[in-house]
Amino acid sequence: MEQYDLVIIGSGPGGYVAAIRAAQLGYKTVLVEKYNTLGGTCTNVGCIPTKAILDSTHHYHDAVHHFAAHGITTDGLSVDFRRLYARKDQVVLQNTQGLNFLMRKNKITVIQGTASFVDNSTLSIVKKDNVTELIQGDKIIIATGSKPATIPGLVIDKERIITSTEALSLKAQPKNMVIIGGGVIGVEMASIFNRLGVEVTIIEYADHLLANMDHELGDGLKKILSKEGIRILLQQAVYKAENLGDSAQVSFKDCSGQEQEITADYVLVAVGRKAYTEGLGLENTDVQLDDRGTIVVNNQLQTAAPNIYAIGDVIGGAMLAHKAEEEALFVVEQINGQKPHIHYDRIPAVVYSWPEVASVGFSEEELKAKGMKYTVGNFPFSANARARAGMDTQGFVKVLADPVYGELLGVHVLGARAADLIAQAVVGLEYEITADSMARISYAHPTYSEVMKEAHVIASGRPSVNI
């Protein structure tokens, strides 16, 4: 039986980062992955392919709606749906090949097969040829991620009632689609298909789009997406979806309790994700699950079995690739005797619609619920010279700061390049910088980042010179 210093189950962003860092620190490391390619959901059917298609459809949308204003003629413009999806596949391949290279470079053993615990330190791995291999690990990290969740009455058949995974593998462009869920995945999927000319309806149970973010972000994005032709229904309770053969029908009750039905080519279920622990054999260990099915860990991300750790989606919290990566470094460096830290309230969230949405820290609703006092600095992209030059004037930056000391409490962005701009706010929160200090540093002109500057100026109590 092969013995390893560190065994990692799952090769998503948490798993492969943990493996690489462990190897860098000199540990004999093995990475176990049941699928044919490394990278997990993020690389294969999540973050990376979704962004590839979002970028492609963004180019097409700009060509249709904005190129003429730039003096660019686009007569006879069309979309080759199969080729668009083929480019996505190529992007995924480049990333998975990159991971294979990193495994070889760092001399990490990769075993392809399904792992399950025999006991707290032993794993049985069933390989593709049905050969079983037993291995032991001094330390073990569970990084098996998550899978799409559903709600009572909705059976995902992967034919007409689908998830984002199947939506990324469609053979032909649909005419219409209903998306159940107005969170990150639902909004991004709606953006993709709407740009291609698909008639899209979002049905959301909450009273705000992007309900887990600052409500001003969701409300602002709703107005923008609605103008672009996406039908958005809030406060709707879906209770059934049915495959009709060549279409699907979703049944729901509206905010007044009236029964409603919509038929479309596909019903895409995007109501969140749940921890994936099936088949791990956790019953053979001391590892415990909570009532949501996530693995219970302490502040060091240890399970009830001290040598077994868990990271990423499988322990709940914000299901973000970069959260899993931070947790991977945290665990491995802690095992190495270092003293890393994670501030979960300083991990940014991003929605890759256009304009993009990004957020870090407290939302205004959270501050009100806690009874905390705050100042608000809000500045629109429409007042920014670079945004006007680029025809990206929708949205705003909202800065929330402590009224006494000026410390940043939260930053929320709806606008062009929000996914990149939010990194500046993360620095501000991480190092407890004041809104005034963030406002007084020099920002290149003209840039989108100046919207951040002016929001900081206003949050610090000074008037902006640009409005």
Side-chain angles (χ1 to χ4, degrees), residues 306-339:
N307 69 307
I308 301 176
Y309 297 77
I311 61 175
D313 290 2
V314 80
I315 64 171
M319 292 190 173
L320 302 167
H322 46 286
K323 167 186 170 281
E325 291 175 353
E326 295 304 319
E327 290 174 337
L329 296 173
F330 176 84
V331 167
V332 174
E333 291 177 358
Q334 184 181 216
I335 290 171
N336 188 244
Q338 301 179 39
K339 297 185 186 225

Side-chain angles (χ1 to χ4, degrees), residues 3 6 50 86 92 125 136 150 164 179 211 248 254 266 281 365 381 449:
Q3 179 79 31
L6 186 59
T50 304
V92 171
I125 303 171
Q136 284 191 325
T150 187
S164 57
I179 298 175
D254 63 23
Y266 294 97
E365 291 73 31
F381 275 77
S449 66

Side-chain angles (χ1 to χ4, degrees), residues 116-128:
S116 62
F117 283 91
V118 176
D119 55 42
N120 283 342
S121 60
T122 309
L123 288 166
S124 172
I125 303 171
V126 179
K127 300 181 180 180
K128 297 300 179 183

Side-chain angles (χ1 to χ4, degrees), residues 428-448:
L429 267 74
E430 180 68 23
Y431 295 101
E432 300 178 354
I433 301 173
T434 66
D436 184 66
S437 294
M438 295 291 282
R440 291 186 185 279
I441 61 176
S442 180
Y443 293 65
H445 175 77
T447 60
Y448 292 98

Side-chain angles (χ1 to χ4, degrees), residues 25-66:
L25 292 171
Y27 294 110
K28 182 181 179 182
T29 305
V30 60
L31 182 63
V32 184
E33 173 55 60
K34 71 175 183 177
Y35 291 112
N36 295 329
T37 55
L38 302 180
T41 294
C42 177
T43 303
N44 292 279
V45 293
C47 319
I48 303 305
T50 304
K51 303 315 164 280
I53 299 180
L54 278 163
D55 281 346
S56 294
T57 57
H58 187 187
H59 290 316
Y60 175 66
H61 185 269
D62 273 355
V64 171
H65 297 281
H66 301 304

